[in-house]
Amino acid sequence: MTTTTVSNQRRAALVVLVVATTIALVWTFWPQGERKSPAAKPPPAQAVLPGTVLKSSECGNQADKPFRPTRITVSGVGKNSQVLALGRDGNNVPRAPSLSSAGKTQYGWDDPAQATNFSDTLKPAGALPGSAKGNVLLNAHTWPDGSALGNRLMEHLKVGDKIVLGGKHAELCYRVTKKIVIKAADGSAEYYQQDGPPQLALIVCSPPRIGPGNWVHRTIWFASPMAA
């Protein structure tokens, strides 16, 4: 390699170095406009005490005052079934929905506004859901072919299950605490209880059936309001 060639190579390398240095300086000092601030970091996760689990409320905003129920959702049975406000029959027993294809899908509610026999201390008028005390009295039909609400309730509703009673702009959740089966002839003072803690009391006819509308037993579920 000649001296002239080496000199030319050194001169070319020097030119490249000068150009690169110039570009770097221009890039560094050229106005960059408004610099974007770094993206905000998400807030740290909420602390959880040992042994606890964070979760949303199971029932949302619970009603804090009495209301008239119009619909009911029962675990494993049906969602938003219609609740009818009904009065009492000639024996001062809460009426049930009609014996029809519609009636077997509806619940009857003992509406205290329709109570007429206030002197019957054994069967006092039922409470409104959201009341401070007393049983909200509900009923449903059982059909011989097994197609009514009462049949599904006996098959699926058990202690620990949830019941949601709803009305106009109101909702109240209950947890089933007790299930009993009684003889129809014996009746149930517990079902009509109105001076105890607030509860939902739901009754249906239960087997055996010995004639049209004549069932030997009654099945009753009691449920207590759940915390919001």
Side-chain angles (χ1 to χ4, degrees), residues 154-210:
M154 284 187 286
E155 182 179 358
H156 298 291
L157 187 59
K158 59 187 182 299
V159 172
D161 285 347
K162 184 171 71 173
I163 297 175
V164 183
L165 203 54
K168 186 177 181 180
H169 308 307
E171 188 173 88
L172 195 57
C173 297
Y174 295 83
R175 184 76 69 192
V176 178
T177 58
K178 184 178 180 181
K179 175 184 176 182
I180 62 174
V181 179
I182 63 169
K183 289 185 177 180
D186 294 341
S188 172
E190 186 178 8
Y191 176 75
Y192 290 97
Q193 186 75 32
Q194 296 303 321
D195 58 1
Q199 289 189 119
L200 183 153
L202 170 60
I203 191 170
V204 302
C205 295
S206 49
R209 175 179 178 268
I210 57 179

Side-chain angles (χ1 to χ4, degrees), residues 37-42:
S37 58
K41 294 183 179 180

Side-chain angles (χ1 to χ4, degrees), residues 2-223:
T2 66
T3 302
T4 302
T5 301
V6 172
S7 178
N8 290 338
Q9 287 180 341
R10 288 178 178 176
R11 189 179 298 111
L14 180 60
V15 171
V16 170
L17 177 61
V18 171
V19 171
T21 302
T22 302
I23 293 174
L25 290 172
V26 171
W27 177 259
T28 300
F29 294 104
W30 191 269
Q32 298 296 316
E34 185 178 354
R35 293 176 179 262
K36 294 184 179 180
S37 58
K41 294 183 179 180
Q46 186 175 352
V48 181
L49 295 177
T52 66
V53 177
L54 290 177
K55 64 178 181 179
S56 59
S57 174
E58 190 171 2
C59 279
N61 296 321
Q62 294 272 60
D64 56 2
K65 59 184 179 180
F67 65 93
R68 296 175 63 81
T70 59
R71 65 186 186 278
I72 185 173
T73 296
V74 181
S75 296
V77 176
K79 184 176 182 180
N80 289 330
S81 299
Q82 186 177 15
V83 175
L84 304 179
L86 303 174
R88 300 280 178 101
D89 63 17
N91 296 316
N92 199 31
V93 173
R95 294 185 183 279
S98 64
L99 290 169
S100 64
S101 56
K104 71 179 182 178
T105 67
Q106 299 166 328
Y107 292 81
W109 168 57
D110 183 42
D111 180 6
Q114 300 185 45
T116 57
N117 189 356
F118 292 102
S119 62
D120 191 340
T121 57
L122 296 178
K123 298 177 182 177
L128 290 165
S131 297
K133 64 178 183 177
N135 290 353
V136 178
L137 305 181
L138 298 175
N139 62 64
H141 280 305
T142 302
W143 279 33
D145 66 359
S147 62
L149 282 171
N151 305 92
R152 298 206 296 275
L153 287 164
M154 284 187 286
E155 182 179 358
H156 298 291
L157 187 59
K158 59 187 182 299
V159 172
D161 285 347
K162 184 171 71 173
I163 297 175
V164 183
L165 203 54
K168 186 177 181 180
H169 308 307
E171 188 173 88
L172 195 57
C173 297
Y174 295 83
R175 184 76 69 192
V176 178
T177 58
K178 184 178 180 181
K179 175 184 176 182
I180 62 174
V181 179
I182 63 169
K183 289 185 177 180
D186 294 341
S188 172
E190 186 178 8
Y191 176 75
Y192 290 97
Q193 186 75 32
Q194 296 303 321
D195 58 1
Q199 289 189 119
L200 183 153
L202 170 60
I203 191 170
V204 302
C205 295
S206 49
R209 175 179 178 268
I210 57 179
N214 191 355
W215 300 76
V216 174
H217 295 104
R218 299 289 185 269
T219 299
I220 308 174
W221 294 264
F222 296 93

